[in-house]
């Protein structure tokens, strides 16, 4: 999934991208050994999995991976955020070489709508599998929600960076974390749901969850190396914001929201890298709240406009309470 950012207009964006030449290059040698286990897990622990149930796959990895390929479309650079090279787990993702002044002065919020067409990647800094895959109708539902959130936050005065320009853009999990790190975001949030005709969960039921970062959470590489989340300052902020997301989403969506400090189970039991934290949160150096919602509105597979607005309104209120605009 390419990175997406607020730009003045489409023509300016294309001129900027041509000038930057910013793209994702994945070495064939690095990816040759990539093997993601078949039958990947559900993003939420309450979702059933099965070969015919795409909604039940895990939010991080494909259950069927073709030979490693370079993403079909280039990855654009951030147009209005600081471009310092990153260090640490997610530093392998490309960073912008130039920046322009933001149009607003409010806090930077990064919005990450989940999923993309399949992208295979190993993070060279950590050895972690940072692949992603397509999941429908979730991928399009959450992109719609993300656009609603972006519009409301931008109108309020926030600077918003969204990790995709369209629902079908590609970006790896390490790339997503690098976007927030390079932007020096005050807060990043992932948007996922549990949609699906086979195994999907109703919007008001099931895995309505807010996940925050916690020290000691980890994921393992194929060689067995643990990559552990250790930033106590970010963990404290993430927990504080997680509590606000829980309260504001419950109020807006009209049902109970669960708050968790980790995934709640060992992802290794679902055919993924062992561990208990979502990879974008592990690789991020800013507070990152990972949101799950039920995904099926009454009588349909996926979310209707009413439930999309409820989800979006809860996320907007959560951001406004977590990172208030300067007065």
């Amino acid at each position: 999934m390419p990175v997406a950012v607020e730009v003045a207009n489409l023509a300016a964006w294309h001129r900027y991208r041509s000038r930057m030449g910013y793209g994702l290059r994945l070495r064939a040698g690095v990816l040759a050994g990539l093997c993601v286990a078949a039958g990947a897990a559900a993003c939420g622990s309450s979702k059933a999995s099965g070969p015919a149930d795409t909604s039940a796959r895990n939010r991080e990895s494909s259950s069927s991976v073709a030979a490693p390929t370079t993403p079909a479309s280039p990855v654009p650079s951030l147009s209005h955020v600081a471009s310092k090279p990153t260090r640490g787990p997610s530093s392998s993702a490309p960073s912008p070489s130039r920046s322009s002044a933001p149009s607003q002065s409010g806090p930077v919020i990064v919005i990450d709508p989940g999923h993309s067409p399949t992208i295979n990647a190993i993070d060279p800094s950590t050895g972690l599998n940072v692949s992603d895959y397509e999941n429908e109708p979730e991928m399009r539902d959450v992109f719609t929600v993300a656009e609603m959130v972006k519009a409301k936050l931008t109108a309020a005065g926030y600077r918003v960076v969204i990790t995709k320009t369209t629902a079908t853009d590609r970006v790896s999990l390490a790339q997503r974390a690098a976007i927030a790190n390079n932007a020096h975001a005050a807060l990043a949030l992932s948007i996922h749901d549990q949609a699906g005709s086979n195994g999907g969960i109703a919007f008001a039921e099931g895995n309505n969850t807010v996940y925050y970062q916690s020290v000691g959470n980890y994921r393992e590489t194929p060689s067995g190396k643990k990559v552990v989340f250790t930033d106590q300052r970010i963990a404290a902020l993430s927990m504080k914001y997680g509590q606000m997301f829980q309260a504001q989403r419950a109020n807006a969506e009209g049902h109970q929201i669960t708050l968790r400090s980790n995934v709640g189970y060992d992802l290794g039991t679902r055919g993924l890298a062992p561990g208990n934290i979502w990879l974008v949160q592990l690789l991020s150096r800013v507070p990152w709240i990972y949101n799950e919602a039920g995904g099926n509105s009454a009588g349909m597979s996926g979310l209707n406009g009413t439930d999309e607005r409820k989800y979006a309104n809860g996320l907007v209120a959560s951001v406004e309470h977590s990172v208030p605009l300067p007065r």
Side-chain angles (χ1 to χ4, degrees):
M1 268 183 287
V3 179
V5 196
E6 186 93 25
V7 291
N9 53 56
L10 184 58
W13 162 239
H14 283 299
R15 290 196 300 272
Y16 186 80
R17 184 174 63 179
S18 297
R19 187 169 69 251
M20 294 299 294
Y22 181 47
L24 175 64
R25 297 175 177 85
L26 299 177
R27 293 174 179 262
V30 173
L31 294 177
L34 175 61
C35 178
V36 180
C43 181
S45 59
S46 60
K47 186 188 282 186
S49 62
D53 179 11
T54 58
S55 71
R57 300 175 188 169
N58 187 270
R59 299 298 184 258
E60 294 182 354
S61 180
S62 171
S63 64
S64 178
V65 178
T69 58
T70 301
S73 54
V75 180
S77 61
L78 303 181
S79 66
H80 68 228
V81 297
S83 59
K84 287 184 179 180
T86 61
R87 296 181 181 180
S90 58
S91 62
S92 60
S95 59
S97 58
R98 297 178 61 182
S99 63
S100 57
S103 59
Q104 296 174 290
S105 58
V108 176
I109 306 298
V110 170
I111 304 173
D112 180 36
H115 292 282
S116 75
T118 299
I119 178 171
N120 301 329
I122 294 290
D123 178 23
S125 295
T126 62
L128 290 167
N129 182 343
V130 291
S131 303
D132 204 1
Y133 78 104
E134 184 169 352
N135 196 44
E136 296 288 13
E138 177 195 8
M139 187 174 76
R140 296 174 195 277
D141 283 347
V142 298
F143 186 78
T144 299
V145 172
E147 287 191 309
M148 292 178 179
V149 175
K150 174 187 172 184
K152 288 177 178 290
L153 291 178
T154 301
Y158 291 90
R159 290 178 289 168
V160 178
V161 178
I162 187 169
T163 60
K164 298 169 67 177
T165 55
T166 71
T168 56
D169 287 347
R170 286 182 170 91
V171 64
S172 76
L173 299 175
Q175 287 269 346
R176 300 182 194 203
I179 295 165
N181 294 339
N182 290 343
H184 306 290
L187 171 64
L189 60 146
S190 290
I191 307 176
H192 288 265
D193 73 23
Q194 299 285 303
S197 58
N198 178 14
I201 297 174
F203 181 67
E205 301 173 2
N207 189 27
N208 290 290
T209 308
V210 168
Y211 302 90
Y212 62 89
Q213 294 144 303
S214 184
V215 169
N217 291 344
Y218 73 97
R219 296 295 288 273
E220 279 188 20
T221 69
S223 66
K225 172 189 172 184
K226 284 188 177 182
V227 181
V228 181
F229 189 84
T230 60
D231 194 321
Q232 294 182 355
R233 183 184 70 85
I234 294 301
L237 281 173
S238 189
M239 181 175 68
K240 174 183 174 182
Y241 296 161
Q243 292 168 344
M244 294 179 181
F245 271 72
Q246 179 188 31
Q248 296 305 316
R249 280 189 54 193
N251 182 59
E253 295 174 28
H255 50 246
Q256 182 178 352
I257 303 295
T258 300
L259 180 65
R260 298 200 64 93
S261 62
N262 57 50
V263 174
Y265 61 92
D266 181 1
L267 289 161
T269 66
R270 301 294 183 97
L272 299 173
N276 59 0
I277 184 173
W278 303 117
L279 280 169
V280 287
Q281 293 182 305
L282 174 62
L283 298 175
S284 175
R285 296 194 308 280
V286 305
W288 194 302
I289 304 300
Y290 191 105
N291 295 275
E292 279 283 3
N296 285 345
S297 298
M300 64 179 290
S301 174
L303 295 178
N304 61 27
T306 298
D307 288 339
E308 287 173 342
R309 284 188 292 274
K310 287 180 181 179
Y311 195 6
N313 288 341
L315 295 173
V316 170
S318 299
V319 172
E320 291 174 337
H321 279 75
S322 299
V323 187
L325 287 165
R327 297 194 179 188

